[in-house]
Amino acid sequence: MIDENRQINNISQQLGEPIEVKQAMKSDSAAQINFNESGNEVTEQVAAQTNIPGDTTSFNQDNGVAATEKTEVQTAALAQLTQQIESLKTQLEERSTQYMRIAADFENYRKRTSKEKEELEVQMKRNTILELLPIVDNFERARSHLKPQSDGEMTMHKSYQGVYKQLVDSLKRLGVSPMRPEAQEFDPNLHEAVMREPTDEHPEGTVLEELVRGYYLGDRVLRHAMVKVAAPKEDTPAAQEDQSSSANS
């Protein structure tokens, strides 16, 4: 290599080439030498790495341990998630049961308050109508006793009948209807017996006459009817004998 450089220098001197060209050629030769040396080092390193089987085995073992640890972590996380899901299911069932219980209690409360409201309205209506019924009774008594004779009395009677009819129509719109107990069997749930009349024309317990009219409010009894009830006729002599014996004593 040194002889070649000398030859190049001699030729350069003979040709008269500048010194810079010589230096460039020298630098190129040095770079080539350095590149060859570095390439040899890389080749040696690669060969050294490929010729170490023990390190590869250690690397595989490390990978296996890491994979095992990763699997264990995933299994633990899955178990924790499963436990959380079961806990959430339990809480959901408890909340659902609690909601259903609250909904049932609210529905019972709504029905109870609605029924109480209806009963209160019926009671208020009942009390109001009961205050009006004596007025209706007085109208009916007056109608049964008044016997108009002149035209003036007839005019007054018609006016009175118009007021009475208006009152009765108002009660009908409120759901009030009169009882018709005559010739029916006495019913203590509907009637109140204030008189007994011995007779053999009707069976015992038959309502003979309605003394004070009874009324319904819807399907409920607004006021019991005061009635006269038929009694056996043979009870009368026994009663007279008792009265005579008591008088003699």
Side-chain angles (χ1 to χ4, degrees):
M1 182 66 67
I2 297 173
D3 293 336
E4 291 178 357
N5 290 332
R6 288 178 181 178
Q7 291 177 1
I8 292 170
N9 291 331
N10 292 328
I11 295 169
S12 299
Q13 290 177 0
Q14 293 175 2
L15 297 175
E17 291 180 354
I19 299 173
E20 289 80 2
V21 175
K22 296 178 181 179
Q23 292 178 353
M25 292 176 67
K26 289 180 180 181
S27 62
D28 291 339
S29 299
Q32 185 177 2
I33 294 169
N34 291 332
F35 175 76
N36 293 331
E37 292 178 355
S38 62
N40 292 331
E41 291 178 358
V42 171
T43 303
E44 291 176 356
Q45 290 177 0
V46 171
Q49 290 179 359
T50 55
N51 293 326
I52 304 176
D55 293 339
T56 304
T57 305
S58 174
F59 179 75
N60 292 332
Q61 291 178 353
D62 293 338
N63 288 338
V65 172
T68 303
E69 292 178 353
K70 184 177 180 181
T71 303
E72 292 178 354
V73 171
Q74 291 178 350
T75 303
L78 181 60
Q80 185 177 2
L81 290 175
T82 303
Q83 184 177 2
Q84 291 179 358
I85 291 172
E86 294 298 330
S87 177
L88 291 175
K89 285 183 179 179
T90 303
Q91 293 179 7
L92 179 61
E93 291 177 357
E94 292 177 355
R95 295 296 185 274
S96 299
T97 303
Q98 185 177 5
Y99 169 77
M100 293 176 65
R101 187 181 301 112
I102 293 173
D105 292 340
F106 177 76
E107 183 66 19
N108 293 333
Y109 170 77
R110 187 187 65 80
K111 291 180 179 180
R112 184 172 63 254
T113 53
S114 178
K115 185 177 180 180
E116 291 176 354
K117 181 180 179 181
E118 291 177 358
E119 291 179 352
L120 180 61
E121 291 177 353
V122 171
Q123 187 64 31
M124 292 175 62
K125 185 187 294 186
R126 174 188 176 88
N127 294 337
T128 303
I129 295 173
L130 284 174
E131 294 294 328
L132 297 175
L133 290 182
I135 300 174
V136 177
D137 296 337
N138 291 331
F139 268 107
E140 291 180 350
R141 292 190 187 98
R143 184 180 63 176
S144 61
H145 289 87
L146 291 176
K147 303 294 181 182
Q149 302 294 332
S150 61
D151 294 338
E153 292 177 353
M154 183 61 66
T155 302
M156 185 179 298
H157 181 69
K158 290 180 179 180
S159 300
Y160 142 78
Q161 289 292 335
V163 176
Y164 171 74
K165 184 177 183 301
Q166 185 178 3
L167 180 59
V168 171
D169 291 340
S170 298
L171 293 176
K172 286 181 178 180
R173 286 193 295 270
L174 292 174
V176 179
S177 58
M179 294 182 183
R180 304 296 182 186
E182 289 88 351
Q184 295 182 2
E185 186 179 357
F186 176 78
D187 186 353
N189 296 319
L190 303 176
H191 312 138
E192 181 180 354
V194 295
M195 293 182 64
R196 287 171 61 88
E197 181 177 339
T199 180
D200 55 359
E201 296 179 359
H202 301 280
E204 182 181 3
T206 302
V207 176
L208 300 177
E209 183 182 357
E210 183 182 35
L211 303 177
V212 178
R213 179 163 294 179
Y215 291 92
Y216 295 105
L217 179 59
D219 56 351
R220 299 183 180 182
V221 176
L222 178 62
R223 187 178 72 177
H224 290 76
M226 296 182 181
V227 296
K228 181 193 297 185
V229 182
K233 196 171 185 180
E234 55 269 19
D235 291 345
T236 303
Q240 292 177 355
E241 290 178 0
D242 293 338
Q243 292 177 358
S244 61
S245 61
S246 59
N248 293 330
S249 60

